[in-house]
Each structure stands twice: as structure tokens, then as C-alpha cells.
């Protein structure tokens, strides 16, 4: 198969390492793979020479993707529904007319909520899109409504841990696969003493390692680990915390405090340096509580932690649910600083148990956390989807020659005939004055009257929504209809559906459709009989009937349609 895998980060991030490993396995199984990253495709070198093609989102838009057999991609697989991934996946899906899949690795809704304290995800979702865009300022996050629609339109759904399946669409084909360990971490380097000296670790001190970025959803968990290290020092332990990664959230400790707590913040380290640091450490800790964020993730460091043979401490959450406490790992119970400190002391006080823990954790990883196993599962999933010939391709404005407000690049428009369904725009004819509306609503009333007086009901409410390209047009003018049809073609609309008002032989708002028949553009249209009576219901005065609908001569509208259309 021809596959495009779209990572949400470049190869310096752990997610792209997952994509790299899977692409290698899929290529070995005979698939032709392209991996796309948002920027810096050259960072792939940090993982070695790939057996697949690598490039940037921008290059893909420019048409760089070409498969060996000359065919289009069979599937486009987006890693997360985050907005920048969603845009490129939908653009490529429309360009190649190929179905797409969505992969989940975190509780995206909880991440959004954690980064916006004071607002629940439900409260954020209830806001208009314009307000949501103001709250979620980064395209590197999942937009509540757009991400949901993106998942709904996918031909398949994959995720790293079972609880994430709840975000799949109803009836959607779903695959859970656990990530594998990097083979470079499976064997201990021989220079442990040199590595400890390199980072300033003393020969007789215990090194606890936490490797990973800090963001809003785990900042409190990591601060508890800092507190545990301070507690252990007060208990007389000679111990140091080694940390790697970027900080995207403030932990509240200045440099002086971290020095007193003996925290060695090593910052971001190249991946090739990580195996030596891991084996130079004594205990590996993944802090965290059992909560909506941790339950829905698979911390990317854990396969390497487990395969190293070092004792691992983690919460009874995500992959921890599948590990036996006291056998393959030590599980936290309360996950506060005292709990973490007690678990570390339990390992230190029983070195033989610590070694046995490490060996059992390593066996678990070698049996269940391999990229070869994950690649075979994904291969089988793609093949099962191909047999069912998925056709759920979602169209997107960038596929129609439009540049989005977020700056996504445009591509050439598709011919309407290439769309799997026709997009029909409803055509309301009340944008011109008629005598009846003069009587009922006041001289010169048109639908523009309502548009222009729409009130702003809350902060960031985008009202009134005033016209742009064609201004306050008058539908009595045939040239307006020609301009509307040109806009419709540009945006992929296949035709218009006119509201048609027929009351026992009497027609209202008929001028636009009559002019369309006489002088209108060569553009498809249909009519929709708006067959309800007219009253003041829509302005809150439903007691007054303006024009009754008797339904007595329904055949008359069909006779008129046959004569005129």
C-alpha cells in the first residue's frame, strides 16, 4: 500500500519517533511510506537513516509526494486531531481523493482544559468558533468542534491505550496498539562511570531519572517528584533528581531552590545521549495521579524505562494498569511527595527486589512493547480497511483554492465532477423588497433588515455578520445572480436550492427564480417548496396569521414546476 503518515512534530519529539519506528516496520512489510513533519525534516537524522521518504507539510502541498508505483496514497494517517495536522490531512485527502485515519495518543480535551484554568472543556466547546480560536491560541492544539468533526470523518481510528477508544466515532473501525521500545535502549552502554562523571553525578549518590517535557497537565505531578527528592534528603538519603526535556509550564522553583533540592535539570538532550543517561541512573520515575489526563495516555518514555532493566516507579494508570505491582514495577497509590519518597526508599532498602523488578519489567517490554508487533497490527488494520473500500473523504476549504485564516497554503481547485457528493447551497429569495413585506414588516423590509440589526449578546460574539464580496445585494438584479454562481463554483458548490413560496396558486418572493429562468447564469438549481403558513411566529408573535397555507391544490405547484422548469 501507499501510505502518508503525518506527525504533529518534527523528529526531535517523541511522537515523531513513534512515526519513524512504525514507518520503518511498515516499509519492511512492503508498504511505500511518506512521513510528513511540520518543519525541519532533516531532524530525522537523529534516529538514523530512514527507509522511507521524509518531507515537510509545505513540500507536500507543493506536490513533492510521488509513490514508486505512480498511484495515489491508499491512506493518510494523521497523528492527533490537532489543528495543524487536521488541515494538512484534509488538504491531502481532498487532493488525492484518499481516505484518512486519525491517531490519538493523549486526552486532547483534558490538555485544552488544563491550559485554560477556570473553564471546563464543555464550557469552551459551547462558545462560538471565533471565541474558541481566541482561547486556544495555538494551532498545535485540538479545536473542540473541528477535531470532533475530523475524527467523525475518518475511515479509521487508532490509539495507544484502550481508554482513548471512547473518542472514536460510533461504529468506527478502531485499533489499539502499544508503542515499542527503541532498540538502542535495550543494551547497557559500557561507560556508566564516565556518563555519571560527565553530568556531575557523585559516585555514591542515588540518581533518580525523570525524562520528558513539562506542560500544564503534568506540572503538578513533576513538582511532587521534586518534593519527594527534598524529603528523601531530609531523611538522610544522598540522592539527586536528573531531569531532561523542555519546560512549557512553570513549576514554581527558581535555580537556587532546585540546587538545594539537588535537581539536575539537563534540558533537552539529543536522543543518542539518552541510553547512556538512563543506564547511569538507579531508579526511573514516572510521576502522576490516576486522573483524566494520565488514564488516557501512554508516556512515551516508559517502553525504554522498562526495557532498561532499571526499577520503575509509576502510577496505577495507563500502562501501569497492565503491570503487576511489586513484580514488574512499583505502583504509586496517593502519588503525592510522601508516596513517591516511600516508593523510592522501598527500592533502595531492598536492592535484590529492585534488581528483580527491573528484570521483570524488561521481560514485559521485550514481550509486549515492540515496534515489530505494533507494525504488524497496523499493517493488518490497513488491510482490513482496504477490503472495506472506505470512501469517507472529507472536503476542506484548502482543497478548493482557498487560504484559511490560519495561513494554511492553498492548492488548485478540484473539478465539481470529482466530488463524491454534490454540495447544494440553500437560496433565500427575501433579499429584495416586496409589497407584502412592506405591509407586514414596514416599508423597504428585506432579510438584510434582520441581518444588520443582529445584536452582540456576549463578549466576542461576532454580530452583526455583514456581507463582504457582493455587499447588500438586491436579488432583483440578474448580474448579482451571475456573481453568486461564480463564487459558488470557486468554493465547490454544485448548485442552489431556491426556497419557493406557493399558496394555493399565489406565489411570493418569486422575482429571483423568474429572473434566473429568464436571464440567470448557466448554473444548476432546484426548488424547495417552503410549504408552511406565514405568521409572526419567528418574531415572537405567533398568534397573528399573515398568509395561510391551505394545502388544497398541492398538484398546482407540480404543474407550475413542469411548465417553468
Amino acid at each position: 500500500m501507499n501510505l502518508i503518515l503525518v506527525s504533529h512534530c518534527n523528529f526531535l519529539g517523541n511522537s515523531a519517533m513513534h512515526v519513524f519506528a512504525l514507518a520503518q516496520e511498515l516499509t519492511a512489510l512492503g508498504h511505500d511510506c511518506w512521513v510528513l513533519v511540520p518543519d525541519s525534516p532533516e531532524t530525522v537524522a537523529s534516529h538514523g537513516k530512514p527507509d522511507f521518504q521524509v518531507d515537510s507539510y509545505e513540500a507536500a502541498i507543493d506536490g513533492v509526494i510521488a509513490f514508486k508505483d505512480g498511484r495515489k496514497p491508499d491512506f493518510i494517517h494523521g497523528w492527533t486531531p490537532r489543528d495543524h495536522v487536521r488541515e494538512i490531512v484534509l488538504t491531502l485527502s481532498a487532493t488525492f481523493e484518499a481516505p484518512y485515519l486519525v491517531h490519538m495518543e493523549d486526552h486532547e480535551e483534558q490538555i485544552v482544559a488544563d491550559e485554560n484554568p477556570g473553564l471546563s472543556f464543555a464550557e469552551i466547546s459551547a462558545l462560538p468558533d471565533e471565541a474558541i480560536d481566541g482561547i486556544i491560541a495555538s494551532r498545535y492544539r485540538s479545536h473542540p468542534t473541528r477535531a470532533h468533526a475530523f475524527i467523525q470523518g475518518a475511515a479509521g481510528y487508532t490509539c495507544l491505550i484502550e481508554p482513548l477508544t471512547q473518542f472514536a466515532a460510533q461504529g468506527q473501525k478502531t485499533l489499539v496498539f502499544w508503542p515499542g521500545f527503541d532498540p538502542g535502549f535495550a543494551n547497557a552502554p559500557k561507560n556508566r562511570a564516565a556518563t555519571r562523571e560527565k553530568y556531575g553525578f557523585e559516585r555514591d549518590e542515588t540518581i533518580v531519572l525523570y525524562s520528558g517535557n513539562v506542560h500544564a497537565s503534568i506540572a503538578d505531578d513533576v513538582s511532587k517528584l521534586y518534593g519527594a527528592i527534598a524529603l528523601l534528603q531530609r531523611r538522610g538519603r544522598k540522592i539527586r533528581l536528573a531531569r531532561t526535556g523542555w519546560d512549557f509550564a512553570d513549576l514554581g522553583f527558581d535555580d537556587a531552590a532546585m540546587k538545594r533540592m539537588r535537581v539536575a535539570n539537563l534540558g533537552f538532550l539529543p536522543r543518542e545521549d539518552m541510553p547512556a543517561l538512563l543506564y547511569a541512573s538507579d531508579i526511573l520515575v514516572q510521576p502522576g495521579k490516576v486522573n483524566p489526563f494520565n488514564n488516557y495516555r501512554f508516556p512515551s518514555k516508559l517502553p525504554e524505562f522498562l526495557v532498561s532493566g532499571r526499577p520503575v516507579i509509576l502510577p496505577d494508570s495507563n500502562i501501569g494498569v497492565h503491570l503487576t505491582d511489586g513484580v514488574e514495577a512499583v505502583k504509586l497509590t496517593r502519588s503525592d511527595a510522601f508516596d513517591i519518597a516511600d516508593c523510592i526508599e522501598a527500592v533502595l532498602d531492598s536492592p535484590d527486589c529492585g534488581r528483580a523488578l527491573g528484570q521483570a519489567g524488561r521481560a514485559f517490554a521485550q514481550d509486549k512493547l515492540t515496534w515489530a508487533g505494533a507494525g504488524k497490527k497496523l499493517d493488518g488494520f490497513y488491510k482490513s480497511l482496504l477490503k472495506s473500500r472506505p470512501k469517507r473523504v472529507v472536503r476542506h476549504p484548502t482543497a478548493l483554492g482557498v487560504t484559511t485564516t490560519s495561513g494554511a497554503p492553498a492548492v488548485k481547485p478540484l473539478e465539481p465532477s470529482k466530488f463524491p457528493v454534490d454540495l447544494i447551497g440553500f437560496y433565500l429569495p427575501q433579499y429584495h423588497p416586496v409589497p407584502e413585506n412592506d405591509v407586514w414588516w414596514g416599508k423597504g423590509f428585506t432579510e438584510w433588515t434582520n441581518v444588520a440589526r443582529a445584536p452582540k449578546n456576549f463578549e466576542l460574539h461576532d454580530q452583526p455578520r455583514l456581507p463582504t464580496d457582493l455587499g447588500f445585494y438586491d436579488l432583483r438584479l440578474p448580474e448579482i445572480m451571475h456573481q453568486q454562481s461564480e463564487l459558488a463554483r470557486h468554493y465547490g458548490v454544485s448548485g442552489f436550492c431556491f426556497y419557493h413560496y406557493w399558496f394555493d396558486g399565489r406565489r411570493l418572493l418569486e422575482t429571483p427564480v423568474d429572473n434566473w429562468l429568464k436571464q440567470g447564469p448557466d448554473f444548476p438549481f432546484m426548488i424547495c417548496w417552503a410549504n408552511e403558513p406565514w405568521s409572526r411566529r419567528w418574531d415572537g408573535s405567533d398568534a397573528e396569521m399573515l398568509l395561510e397555507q391551505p394545502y388544497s391544490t398541492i398538484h398546482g405547484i407540480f404543474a407550475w414546476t413542469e411548465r417553468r422548469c
Side-chain angles (χ1 to χ4, degrees):
M1 275 181 275
N2 294 336
L3 304 170
I4 300 176
L5 309 183
V6 182
S7 172
H8 72 79
C9 61
N10 65 36
F11 291 98
L12 297 181
N14 285 322
S15 292
M17 184 274 289
H18 288 192
V19 179
F20 179 98
L22 285 168
Q24 289 287 84
E25 295 295 336
L26 291 167
T27 301
L29 290 170
H31 300 290
D32 191 359
C33 296
W34 278 79
V35 171
L36 302 180
V37 292
D39 56 68
S40 306
E42 68 278 2
T43 54
V44 71
S46 62
H47 300 285
K49 182 175 173 52
D51 296 327
F52 51 87
Q53 297 294 321
V54 176
D55 224 313
S56 66
Y57 292 6
E58 184 178 2
I61 291 295
D62 290 340
V64 70
I65 295 176
F67 291 96
K68 296 170 186 174
D69 60 8
R71 294 189 306 107
K72 297 178 180 180
D74 293 291
F75 295 107
I76 301 162
H77 202 159
W79 249 245
T80 78
R82 296 179 183 181
D83 238 26
H84 66 304
V85 175
R86 180 187 61 82
E87 286 185 350
I88 183 65
V89 168
L90 290 180
T91 297
L92 294 175
S93 177
T95 302
F96 291 114
E97 295 184 292
Y100 67 87
L101 292 81
V102 177
H103 179 72
M104 289 280 275
E105 54 188 18
D106 284 306
H107 194 319
E108 294 291 318
E109 296 181 2
Q110 193 62 43
I111 291 174
V112 169
D114 289 342
E115 292 180 347
N116 294 278
L119 285 173
S120 70
F121 184 80
E123 290 170 327
I124 295 172
S125 300
L127 296 172
D129 276 359
E130 294 87 346
I132 295 174
D133 287 337
I135 292 171
I136 305 174
S138 173
R139 292 175 57 238
Y140 293 84
R141 288 291 177 261
S142 293
H143 186 284
T145 56
R146 294 196 289 261
H148 176 74
F150 181 49
I151 293 172
Q152 292 288 318
Y157 177 97
T158 64
C159 57
L160 289 181
I161 200 79
E162 291 83 351
L164 284 171
T165 59
Q166 80 173 60
F167 298 107
Q170 186 173 4
Q172 195 167 44
K173 293 192 175 182
T174 302
L175 172 71
V176 178
F177 63 84
W178 289 351
F181 61 83
D182 184 335
F185 287 75
N187 298 306
K190 298 179 180 179
N191 55 351
R192 186 172 191 269
T195 301
R196 289 176 70 94
E197 183 179 355
K198 172 183 175 181
Y199 294 113
F201 304 157
E202 297 178 22
R203 182 169 303 196
D204 59 343
E205 69 179 345
T206 298
I207 300 300
V208 174
L209 176 65
Y210 171 75
S211 60
N213 301 330
V214 175
H215 47 78
S217 296
I218 60 170
D220 184 64
D221 296 336
V222 177
S223 69
K224 297 295 193 295
L225 176 57
Y226 279 35
I229 298 301
L231 277 172
L232 289 167
Q233 288 168 28
R234 289 192 177 188
R235 294 175 185 178
R237 301 283 185 177
K238 191 171 184 179
I239 193 166
R240 184 190 301 270
L241 173 65
R243 260 213 56 209
T244 68
W246 289 300
D247 286 352
F248 299 104
D250 185 8
L251 294 174
F253 303 110
D254 59 21
D255 291 342
M258 287 197 291
K259 185 175 181 180
R260 289 194 301 271
M261 288 188 291
R262 296 180 66 80
V263 175
N265 192 343
L266 305 178
F268 175 80
L269 293 182
R271 189 164 183 83
E272 60 265 26
D273 291 351
M274 291 303 301
L277 176 62
L278 194 150
Y279 280 95
S281 303
D282 301 293
I283 299 173
L284 313 177
V285 178
Q286 173 63 48
K289 298 179 285 293
V290 176
N291 63 19
F293 175 73
N294 285 311
N295 293 350
Y296 291 81
R297 64 189 296 240
F298 195 126
S300 58
K301 66 186 73 60
L302 287 181
E304 283 77 33
F305 271 21
L306 290 165
V307 82
S308 71
R310 293 286 185 269
V312 176
I313 298 172
L314 44 63
D316 192 15
S317 181
N318 52 72
I319 189 60
V321 172
H322 301 275
L323 294 165
T324 304
D325 186 26
V327 177
E328 295 156 327
V330 176
K331 294 188 184 182
L332 300 167
T333 53
R334 302 182 311 277
S335 297
D336 57 20
F338 292 94
D339 188 22
I340 297 172
D342 290 346
C343 289
I344 291 173
E345 279 202 311
V347 173
L348 292 176
D349 289 341
S350 181
D352 289 341
C353 288
R355 281 189 288 272
L357 278 169
Q359 291 169 3
R362 179 181 174 86
F364 179 92
Q366 290 176 325
D367 181 40
K368 300 185 182 301
L369 303 179
T370 67
W371 285 117
K376 288 178 182 177
K377 282 188 174 183
L378 193 53
D379 168 67
F381 189 58
Y382 288 147
K383 289 176 179 175
S384 71
L385 290 175
L386 196 63
K387 286 181 181 178
S388 64
R389 301 184 64 83
K391 296 181 181 297
R392 299 172 67 188
V393 180
V394 172
R395 299 301 166 192
H396 183 251
T398 55
L400 304 172
V402 183
T403 301
T404 64
T405 55
S406 60
V411 296
K412 294 180 180 179
L414 292 175
E415 293 296 327
S417 61
K418 291 187 178 180
F419 282 78
V421 296
D422 285 322
L423 178 63
I424 306 298
F426 280 101
Y427 198 106
L428 180 62
Q430 196 156 220
Y431 291 98
H432 75 289
V434 295
E436 291 84 356
N437 277 335
D438 287 347
V439 173
W440 294 329
W441 308 107
K443 183 69 174 176
F445 174 89
T446 72
E447 198 62 40
W448 292 123
T449 308
N450 290 332
V451 169
R453 69 187 180 190
K456 184 185 293 289
N457 292 319
F458 50 84
E459 189 177 359
L460 299 179
H461 191 193
D462 188 13
Q463 288 291 351
R465 301 291 293 272
L466 302 179
T468 54
D469 301 65
L470 304 183
F472 291 90
Y473 55 74
D474 187 332
L475 288 183
R476 293 173 296 184
L477 304 175
E479 57 265 32
I480 289 296
M481 297 176 173
H482 286 268
Q483 293 170 353
Q484 288 176 323
S485 67
E486 290 172 6
L487 282 172
R489 284 194 179 94
H490 180 73
Y491 288 99
V493 176
S494 300
F496 289 138
C497 180
F498 280 82
Y499 275 149
H500 190 68
Y501 300 96
W502 173 279
F503 299 87
D504 196 18
R506 178 180 178 183
R507 297 165 63 214
L508 286 182
L509 302 173
E510 71 280 6
T511 299
V513 73
D514 286 349
N515 285 347
W516 189 284
L517 290 168
K518 295 174 185 176
Q519 307 173 58
D522 182 15
F523 190 72
F525 77 98
M526 65 182 72
I527 64 170
C528 166
W529 183 21
N531 62 358
E532 74 277 10
W534 276 23
S535 71
R536 291 188 179 272
R537 180 181 303 276
W538 58 265
D539 80 334
S541 306
D542 60 355
E544 183 178 348
M545 184 68 68
L546 301 177
L547 191 59
E548 189 176 0
Q549 178 59 266
Y551 304 106
S552 58
T553 57
I554 293 178
H555 67 278
I557 188 171
F558 298 113
W560 178 89
T561 303
E562 289 177 357
R563 291 196 309 269
R564 301 299 299 272
C565 300

